[in-house]
Amino acid sequence: MSTQPQGSGGNPPRPSNGAVNGAMAMPAQTRPVDGQLGNSVTGGSQNGTLSQQNLNSIMDPDTRKKVIEYLNKKGYSRTEQMLRVESANQDAEGRPIHIRVEDSGGQRYARAVSLTQRWIEENLDIYKPELRRLLWPLFVYSFLNLVSDNCSDESRRFFHIFRSNFQEEHEDDLRALEPISLPEHVSDNPIAKIYRGAKYRLTLTEVAYFNLIQFLESRERDGGAVVIRVIQEYLNVVTVQRATDDQHSLAKMLGRARQIEDFPAEDEGIPGHNPGSANTDRTAGSTVLTRLKLGPMPMESELLGDVQGDLEEEDLKHPPVKGQSTLLHDFEQHIKREESEETPNRTDIPLPPSTARDVAMEVQKVKENRDRFRIEGRTGGIGPGISVTMFTFHNTFNSINCLDFSGDNTMVAAGTQESYIKVWSLDGKPLPQIDLLEGTSPQSSSRRLIGHSGPVYAVSFSPAIANSDPSAPNTGAKYLLSGSADKSVRLWSLETWTCLVVYKGHDNPVWDVTWGPFGHYFLTGSLDKTARLWSTDHISYLRMFVGHDMDVDTTCFHPNGAYVFTGSSDKMVRMWAVINGYPVRMFTGHTGNITCLACSPSGKFLASADDTGIIILWDLAPGRLLKRMRGHAKGGIWSLSWSVESTVLASGGADGTVRVWDVVGSNDGPGQGKIGEGGAGAKIDGSGPIQSSAGVTGAGGKKKGKDVVVTPDQISAFPTKKSPVYKVKFTRMNLLLAGGAYLP
């Protein structure tokens, strides 16, 4: 019987899809079993088929050459081409040889990131700072893609190879991402959900961006295609012209290139927004900014008339000395608040009718405005002579969580880990008390308020002002608010020393509570990622501000009461309108968790601080970053306070120092010095030469502290002896108070 297959005498029919028929005429010693060769080319390995690796083990290079020659001779050009391609991408043992990085499995992202990092470090110094900002989102999304592709081993190696590059700036995010190892973790991890749920916004100059894309396209096979795909899918890159953008001008870029550290732009990150705007639409421009009314709240007409009458009477009783203006003149020129386009409408924010106490407080404000010590900022490079009155609490055993000073400078309250609040008299005199029942406890210079069932994390005195006139109504603090881990907020009377109201609404511990400027509304922030606005005459909250991705750690009011601010562990600060609860500004640029906020008395600026020791000043109207200030060590800045003129800012924190900052001017100067943490007894003046404490050793030859970078706008620093500073506060006479606990 002939073994010649049917149709072999003429031109045989060509196999479909380039497959080689199993009965094709071949040398007898190499003829395969029917079906083997044809199916092996398509990569099948089941139902009698062989994989490409098995085929290569059967077919040595000489045999493969003969097969290719035979296919060429018989005119099977398509099949020959496929076999040549497969053979070119296989080694002698049948393993694939990857020509492109994107075909190399889990290793493709590591090669792509390394390629980009090397190119950035070899770039011009002027472009390095902005191009380095690309590496963090590239790292995060590459890692999450590896985990999603179920490449657990490769993702773990990738994470540990590159994490050191971002440890300084993104320590918290790295800690949250590290446990992710399975695809299910990506959808459950809160940080991963934030990054996967929105595009990362990054601003680059046009020249830097075009150079980046040109390089990636030229190295497409080496990993450029992988980086381009990540940029397209997960990044929102905004390009700006260097000549038209102040933050990317040549002078700014040269300044950043000389700086020791680099910081993110104010619009960089998740969710990504136009600078200052709460609108995250990538197509929106600067015109989406809501116009703010930052002027002072107009006075009630009846209150205005009463204040003017009392001031006239006061000028008659106590005429001003020579060279001093009258109280009424000062009020009319500098304090009087009338309606205008820049002020909020008083009818939009309901307030209770004015009382005699309100009149007395307004009169006292006019007196203090005329007689206070004025702080005008630096003059000729020399800072103002500001002194600090420091109150240190001993034998606390690290139980104090928070502090607050009353507005009349007579009391201080502390919230403790043991769930109670303790209030002291600052001058040692007995605290005021109204005896409701006979046999009450005798007067004392301290009081303990018990009622919470969890640690107390925040306390806040109601607005008050010092008044030495015994015939005037009492203008001291009447109430105290406290927030606790028991999810409640309590309102305490400072006359009867009892709890008046328990406000419940938060689902988790309350981290912060703040009184509004008029003593009627207050604001709370919680672990439940919300801030809530309350009024003293309602048991439930009036507004709930939702938008942060993590817990709201700190809150504050605008001086006119029409806006509130919230700071969160998501490293963002948001500004909300009280009238409708809508977000009107969003500020990003911090690299750590927001720890405290303070709005200037002028209502134009906001100061925010984080746990890395950075303070950022924001201009509220355009929503732009003014400058960064640094001098505190890591551990957190826990309190900020503005001088009455809004020219000087004070800060205190975990490093045990009180620092005073010049708000006016910029810190773009080339000099950034270093200074040691803490200290004992010496005042550090920022107007003099800044030295480094490196090499200074204590007993036993050990260094006393770690060097900390100090920006030139620090006026002075006051170190304590192992006392973290929980609270700083400028009085209305510009005296700076500070409080902390001694921790030996």
Side-chain angles (χ1 to χ4, degrees), residues 159-185:
F159 189 88
H160 288 290
I161 289 173
F162 295 103
R163 69 172 298 169
S164 59
N165 299 329
F166 314 104
Q167 191 70 36
E168 181 95 16
E169 182 176 331
H170 300 282
E171 182 178 357
D172 293 334
D173 284 353
L174 288 171
R175 189 183 303 113
L177 292 172
E178 187 172 11
I180 299 177
S181 59
L182 297 174
E184 295 80 9
H185 297 167

Short mmCIF file of all heavy atoms in Angstrom, two decimals, residues 159-185:
data_model
loop_
_atom_site.label_atom_id
_atom_site.label_comp_id
_atom_site.label_asym_id
_atom_site.label_seq_id
_atom_site.Cartn_x
_atom_site.Cartn_y
_atom_site.Cartn_z
N PHE A 159 8.09 45.76 45.94
CA PHE A 159 7.82 46.68 47.05
C PHE A 159 9.08 46.93 47.86
O PHE A 159 9.40 48.08 48.20
CB PHE A 159 6.72 46.10 47.93
CG PHE A 159 6.21 47.05 48.98
CD1 PHE A 159 5.18 47.93 48.70
CD2 PHE A 159 6.76 47.06 50.25
CE1 PHE A 159 4.71 48.81 49.67
CE2 PHE A 159 6.31 47.93 51.22
CZ PHE A 159 5.28 48.80 50.92
N HIS A 160 9.82 45.90 48.19
CA HIS A 160 11.00 46.05 49.05
C HIS A 160 12.17 46.66 48.31
O HIS A 160 13.05 47.28 48.93
CB HIS A 160 11.38 44.70 49.65
CG HIS A 160 10.42 44.22 50.70
ND1 HIS A 160 10.32 44.81 51.93
CD2 HIS A 160 9.50 43.22 50.68
CE1 HIS A 160 9.39 44.19 52.65
NE2 HIS A 160 8.87 43.22 51.92
N ILE A 161 12.21 46.54 46.99
CA ILE A 161 13.30 47.14 46.23
C ILE A 161 13.17 48.66 46.21
O ILE A 161 14.16 49.39 46.38
CB ILE A 161 13.32 46.58 44.78
CG1 ILE A 161 13.80 45.13 44.78
CG2 ILE A 161 14.23 47.43 43.88
CD1 ILE A 161 13.69 44.46 43.43
N PHE A 162 11.95 49.18 46.05
CA PHE A 162 11.76 50.60 45.81
C PHE A 162 11.21 51.38 46.99
O PHE A 162 11.14 52.61 46.93
CB PHE A 162 10.82 50.80 44.60
CG PHE A 162 11.37 50.30 43.31
CD1 PHE A 162 10.93 49.10 42.77
CD2 PHE A 162 12.35 51.01 42.63
CE1 PHE A 162 11.44 48.63 41.57
CE2 PHE A 162 12.87 50.55 41.44
CZ PHE A 162 12.42 49.36 40.90
N ARG A 163 10.81 50.72 48.07
CA ARG A 163 10.15 51.43 49.15
C ARG A 163 11.06 52.46 49.82
O ARG A 163 10.58 53.51 50.29
CB ARG A 163 9.63 50.46 50.20
CG ARG A 163 10.71 49.74 51.00
CD ARG A 163 10.10 48.94 52.14
NE ARG A 163 9.41 49.80 53.09
CZ ARG A 163 8.62 49.36 54.06
NH1 ARG A 163 8.42 48.05 54.19
NH2 ARG A 163 8.04 50.18 54.90
N SER A 164 12.35 52.22 49.86
CA SER A 164 13.26 53.14 50.54
C SER A 164 13.28 54.52 49.88
O SER A 164 13.60 55.52 50.53
CB SER A 164 14.68 52.56 50.56
OG SER A 164 15.15 52.33 49.24
N ASN A 165 12.93 54.59 48.60
CA ASN A 165 12.92 55.88 47.91
C ASN A 165 11.82 56.80 48.42
O ASN A 165 11.89 58.01 48.23
CB ASN A 165 12.73 55.67 46.41
CG ASN A 165 13.85 54.86 45.79
OD1 ASN A 165 14.99 54.91 46.25
ND2 ASN A 165 13.55 54.10 44.76
N PHE A 166 10.79 56.23 49.05
CA PHE A 166 9.62 57.02 49.45
C PHE A 166 9.36 56.97 50.95
O PHE A 166 8.33 57.45 51.41
CB PHE A 166 8.38 56.50 48.71
CG PHE A 166 8.61 56.27 47.24
CD1 PHE A 166 8.76 54.98 46.74
CD2 PHE A 166 8.70 57.33 46.37
CE1 PHE A 166 8.98 54.75 45.39
CE2 PHE A 166 8.91 57.12 45.02
CZ PHE A 166 9.06 55.83 44.53
N GLN A 167 10.29 56.39 51.72
CA GLN A 167 10.07 56.20 53.14
C GLN A 167 9.90 57.53 53.88
O GLN A 167 9.09 57.65 54.79
CB GLN A 167 11.25 55.42 53.74
CG GLN A 167 11.03 54.94 55.16
CD GLN A 167 9.99 53.83 55.24
OE1 GLN A 167 9.93 52.99 54.35
NE2 GLN A 167 9.20 53.83 56.30
N GLU A 168 10.64 58.53 53.47
CA GLU A 168 10.61 59.81 54.17
C GLU A 168 9.27 60.51 54.01
O GLU A 168 8.71 61.04 54.97
CB GLU A 168 11.73 60.71 53.62
CG GLU A 168 11.81 62.06 54.29
CD GLU A 168 12.80 62.10 55.42
OE1 GLU A 168 13.65 61.20 55.54
OE2 GLU A 168 12.71 63.04 56.21
N GLU A 169 8.73 60.52 52.81
CA GLU A 169 7.54 61.32 52.51
C GLU A 169 6.24 60.55 52.66
O GLU A 169 5.22 61.13 53.02
CB GLU A 169 7.65 61.88 51.10
CG GLU A 169 6.50 62.77 50.70
CD GLU A 169 6.71 63.38 49.32
OE1 GLU A 169 7.87 63.56 48.92
OE2 GLU A 169 5.71 63.65 48.63
N HIS A 170 6.27 59.26 52.38
CA HIS A 170 5.02 58.48 52.34
C HIS A 170 5.06 57.30 53.32
O HIS A 170 4.61 56.20 52.99
CB HIS A 170 4.78 57.96 50.92
CG HIS A 170 4.67 59.04 49.89
ND1 HIS A 170 3.54 59.79 49.72
CD2 HIS A 170 5.56 59.49 48.98
CE1 HIS A 170 3.72 60.66 48.74
NE2 HIS A 170 4.93 60.50 48.27
N GLU A 171 5.56 57.55 54.49
CA GLU A 171 5.71 56.46 55.47
C GLU A 171 4.38 55.81 55.81
O GLU A 171 4.28 54.58 55.88
CB GLU A 171 6.39 57.01 56.73
CG GLU A 171 6.65 55.97 57.80
CD GLU A 171 7.35 56.55 59.00
OE1 GLU A 171 7.68 57.76 58.97
OE2 GLU A 171 7.58 55.80 59.98
N ASP A 172 3.35 56.61 56.02
CA ASP A 172 2.06 56.07 56.41
C ASP A 172 1.42 55.25 55.28
O ASP A 172 0.85 54.18 55.52
CB ASP A 172 1.11 57.19 56.83
CG ASP A 172 1.58 57.88 58.11
OD1 ASP A 172 2.28 57.22 58.89
OD2 ASP A 172 1.25 59.06 58.31
N ASP A 173 1.50 55.76 54.06
CA ASP A 173 0.93 55.02 52.93
C ASP A 173 1.68 53.72 52.70
O ASP A 173 1.07 52.69 52.38
CB ASP A 173 0.98 55.88 51.66
CG ASP A 173 -0.08 56.96 51.67
OD1 ASP A 173 -0.93 56.93 52.58
OD2 ASP A 173 -0.08 57.82 50.77
N LEU A 174 3.00 53.73 52.86
CA LEU A 174 3.77 52.50 52.70
C LEU A 174 3.37 51.47 53.75
O LEU A 174 3.26 50.27 53.46
CB LEU A 174 5.26 52.80 52.80
CG LEU A 174 5.88 53.55 51.62
CD1 LEU A 174 7.31 53.97 51.95
CD2 LEU A 174 5.87 52.69 50.36
N ARG A 175 3.15 51.95 54.97
CA ARG A 175 2.75 51.04 56.04
C ARG A 175 1.38 50.41 55.73
O ARG A 175 1.14 49.24 56.03
CB ARG A 175 2.71 51.78 57.37
CG ARG A 175 2.51 50.87 58.58
CD ARG A 175 2.41 51.66 59.86
NE ARG A 175 3.57 52.49 60.07
CZ ARG A 175 3.56 53.82 60.04
NH1 ARG A 175 2.42 54.46 59.81
NH2 ARG A 175 4.65 54.52 60.24
N ALA A 176 0.51 51.19 55.11
CA ALA A 176 -0.82 50.67 54.78
C ALA A 176 -0.80 49.75 53.58
O ALA A 176 -1.59 48.81 53.49
CB ALA A 176 -1.78 51.84 54.52
N LEU A 177 0.11 49.98 52.63
CA LEU A 177 0.16 49.16 51.41
C LEU A 177 0.94 47.87 51.60
O LEU A 177 0.71 46.90 50.86
CB LEU A 177 0.80 49.97 50.27
CG LEU A 177 0.02 51.17 49.74
CD1 LEU A 177 0.87 51.97 48.77
CD2 LEU A 177 -1.27 50.72 49.06
N GLU A 178 1.84 47.84 52.56
CA GLU A 178 2.72 46.68 52.70
C GLU A 178 2.00 45.35 52.89
O GLU A 178 2.40 44.34 52.32
CB GLU A 178 3.70 46.92 53.86
CG GLU A 178 4.77 45.85 53.96
CD GLU A 178 5.83 46.21 54.99
OE1 GLU A 178 5.62 47.19 55.75
OE2 GLU A 178 6.87 45.53 55.04
N PRO A 179 0.90 45.27 53.66
CA PRO A 179 0.25 43.96 53.85
C PRO A 179 -0.45 43.43 52.61
O PRO A 179 -0.88 42.27 52.59
CB PRO A 179 -0.77 44.23 54.96
CG PRO A 179 -0.36 45.51 55.59
CD PRO A 179 0.28 46.29 54.52
N ILE A 180 -0.62 44.22 51.57
CA ILE A 180 -1.36 43.79 50.38
C ILE A 180 -0.56 42.73 49.63
O ILE A 180 0.58 42.97 49.23
CB ILE A 180 -1.65 44.98 49.45
CG1 ILE A 180 -2.51 46.01 50.18
CG2 ILE A 180 -2.34 44.52 48.18
CD1 ILE A 180 -2.78 47.26 49.36
N SER A 181 -1.16 41.57 49.44
CA SER A 181 -0.47 40.48 48.73
C SER A 181 -1.39 39.69 47.82
O SER A 181 -0.90 38.91 47.00
CB SER A 181 0.19 39.53 49.74
OG SER A 181 -0.78 38.97 50.62
N LEU A 182 -2.69 39.87 47.94
CA LEU A 182 -3.65 39.13 47.13
C LEU A 182 -4.58 40.10 46.41
O LEU A 182 -4.80 41.22 46.89
CB LEU A 182 -4.48 38.18 48.00
CG LEU A 182 -3.72 37.07 48.73
CD1 LEU A 182 -4.66 36.32 49.66
CD2 LEU A 182 -3.07 36.12 47.74
N PRO A 183 -5.13 39.69 45.27
CA PRO A 183 -6.05 40.59 44.55
C PRO A 183 -7.22 41.06 45.42
O PRO A 183 -7.70 42.18 45.25
CB PRO A 183 -6.52 39.73 43.37
CG PRO A 183 -5.43 38.75 43.15
CD PRO A 183 -4.87 38.46 44.50
N GLU A 184 -7.67 40.22 46.35
CA GLU A 184 -8.79 40.61 47.21
C GLU A 184 -8.41 41.78 48.12
O GLU A 184 -9.25 42.60 48.49
CB GLU A 184 -9.24 39.43 48.06
CG GLU A 184 -9.83 38.27 47.27
CD GLU A 184 -8.77 37.38 46.66
OE1 GLU A 184 -7.56 37.56 47.00
OE2 GLU A 184 -9.12 36.53 45.82
N HIS A 185 -7.12 41.86 48.47
CA HIS A 185 -6.68 42.93 49.35
C HIS A 185 -6.78 44.29 48.67
O HIS A 185 -7.01 45.30 49.34
CB HIS A 185 -5.22 42.69 49.78
CG HIS A 185 -5.04 41.44 50.58
ND1 HIS A 185 -3.80 40.89 50.85
CD2 HIS A 185 -5.94 40.61 51.18
CE1 HIS A 185 -3.94 39.80 51.56
NE2 HIS A 185 -5.23 39.60 51.78
#
